[in-house]
Structure formats: structure tokens, C-alpha cells
Amino acid sequence: MEEALLTDGRTLKHVQVREYVRALVTGSAPGSPAPSERELVHRFGVARMTVRQALDALVVEGLLERIPGRGTFVARPRQSVSRISGYTEDMTRRGMLAESQTLLARREQAGPGVARALNISEGDAVIHWRRLRRGDGTPVCIEDAYLNEILLPGFLQSGMPTSLYDALDQRGLRPTWAEDSITADRPTAEEAGLLELPVGGVVLRQSRRAMAGDKTVEVSRSVYRADRYTMWVQLGG
């Protein structure tokens, strides 16, 4: 028998509140506000703890998310931890139009840091692809990606793809796991200009080493506008 029912057939109050909120927000855009606890207490004539229990259940489900100091909102779709996403997919998931401008795409000799990260020898050929990434027309990120040329023959000659990870997927090299490090920093003058940052702006620096099985397929260094981009990290299996 449904655990939400009492012996006399009346639905538990917190379930009534939960299903009311679910029906209200289902189909709403991510970031839309959910009813406040005060509003729900007044509407159903229940204790605040009952309302909180109902909202907690929807947060656990992933339908709602709480933002400290702001309230409760319709949650962004959760990303599976088993799939590594690139910038284009990330922006699409956030409901934003991703655009890219190639600043540099060429063959280079790997320096010591890139060579170590790609597990190749210093001086080996790598593909260096630098892009300015936008979301809904606003500069969001500068990304420098370094790729092992041996794994990607003809990559530069075939025309630069819209999505790097889609291009890697077509070659059977889509990253299956990655190591990221993230730090806050001040931008260089060049970075501030490209990102159109205001005076005193702050950036997030992300370094990534992406693997397809036991092959290192990408090493990247990205600089994000901290006022335009929030990094979401999902933990657990």
C-alpha cells in the first residue's frame, strides 16, 4: 500500500504539499522560483517543518535546488558523472547558445608541461587550438587545448569542428574520465581584453587532463569570467 496514505485514506500533508509543488514547477525553466515556505505554510495550514520535508524530497529528486540566501528554484538537469562534457554541451545544458572564435590553430612542439601531461616526449608534435568561447553572445571563456597529433592525423586539415568532444567521439577517442584543477586568479591584460572584463574582474582557471581509456587525448587550460560562469561539480557514483 502506498506509504503516503494514512489508514483512513487521507494523504499525508507533506505529500500533498510535495505533489502540489511538483505539479506547479514541472515544465518550468531551470532557475524559475519555487513557491516560498511561507506561501506554502499559509496555503496548506501546516507547520514549516512539514513544508520543508516536502521541499527536501524534491531537492533530493533533483527537481529543485536551494541557493543559500536566495531561495528554492527549479534545478538544472543533472549531468551523469560517467560522461565528460565539453563547453558546447555545457552551455546547451544551461540553456545558452554556445559560440566559438578560433584565435589560433596550429602544429607546435610540446613544451615540458604539455609533454608530461600528454605522456609524450618534449618536442613531439601537438595540436594547439585556442578559442574564445561565448554564451548568448557574451565572452565567457578562453580555452587553450593541446592534442596529441599522433592520435589525430589530419585534424588541422579537415576544418576545425564546432565541438572538440564530438570530433573526438567520431574517432573513438571521446574522453571517458578527466582530472580538473580549478583556481581563482586575476586576469592578464590580454585575458581581460578578450573577456571584456570590468576593472577588478576575477577569473577561474581550469586545467584539465582528459583520458579516453588509458590514452591522454586532451590537455587544456581554460580561463572563465567568474561573474558569468559557475562551475558545477557532481560527486558520487
Side-chain angles (χ1 to χ4, degrees):
M1 186 175 180
E2 174 63 46
E3 66 176 357
L5 298 180
L6 294 171
T7 54
D8 65 357
R10 289 181 295 118
T11 306
L12 290 171
K13 282 294 186 181
H14 76 86
V15 176
Q16 290 181 21
V17 176
R18 184 191 70 197
E19 294 310 309
Y20 168 79
V21 175
R22 186 199 303 280
L24 200 63
V25 304
T26 295
S28 298
S32 300
S36 68
E37 291 184 3
R38 178 177 297 180
E39 176 186 341
L40 293 170
V41 166
H42 177 74
R43 181 180 183 88
F44 287 91
V46 296
R48 186 175 290 268
M49 285 301 297
T50 300
V51 168
R52 193 160 295 168
Q53 182 180 3
L55 295 179
D56 283 346
L58 296 176
V59 169
V60 170
E61 284 183 27
L63 184 61
L64 300 179
E65 64 178 341
R66 285 194 175 93
I67 300 179
R70 292 184 56 197
T72 305
F73 301 86
V74 178
R76 297 171 177 81
R78 289 180 175 176
Q79 175 191 354
S80 169
V81 294
S82 63
R83 183 175 175 85
I84 309 301
S85 66
Y87 180 86
T88 301
E89 293 166 310
D90 186 22
M91 288 292 105
T92 300
R93 193 169 62 248
R94 295 167 188 254
M96 301 175 70
L97 175 64
E99 299 173 296
S100 294
Q101 175 188 347
T102 293
L103 303 176
L104 181 152
R106 68 188 182 194
R107 184 176 184 267
E108 296 180 352
Q109 291 183 319
V114 169
R116 184 167 54 253
L118 285 173
N119 197 28
I120 58 178
S121 298
E122 185 175 348
D124 282 355
V126 294
I127 298 163
H128 180 190
W129 189 12
R130 189 177 210 220
R131 288 175 287 176
L132 176 63
R133 323 299 299 268
R134 294 184 173 91
D136 287 346
T138 300
V140 173
C141 167
I142 304 165
E143 179 186 285
D144 284 274
Y146 297 87
L147 313 166
N148 186 344
E149 189 184 48
I150 292 176
L151 296 177
L152 300 166
F155 185 85
L156 287 172
Q157 289 72 40
S158 58
M160 307 313 288
T162 300
S163 167
L164 171 59
Y165 280 15
D166 282 351
L168 292 174
D169 195 14
Q170 291 170 12
R171 294 172 180 250
L173 292 171
R174 184 183 181 91
T176 52
W177 64 282
E179 299 170 334
D180 285 4
S181 67
I182 302 163
T183 57
D185 197 8
R186 294 289 185 183
T188 65
E190 180 190 16
E191 291 167 347
L194 287 171
L195 292 173
E196 300 176 11
L197 275 168
V199 176
V202 178
V203 296
L204 296 173
R205 297 190 185 276
Q206 177 192 47
S207 296
R208 169 172 290 185
R209 180 171 176 258
M211 312 286 293
D214 61 352
K215 298 184 179 71
T216 306
V217 294
E218 176 210 15
V219 171
S220 64
R221 299 166 184 158
S222 302
V223 184
Y224 291 87
R225 281 186 61 157
D227 63 337
R228 293 286 184 181
Y229 188 84
T230 299
M231 290 192 171
W232 298 91
V233 181
Q234 183 177 346
L235 304 176

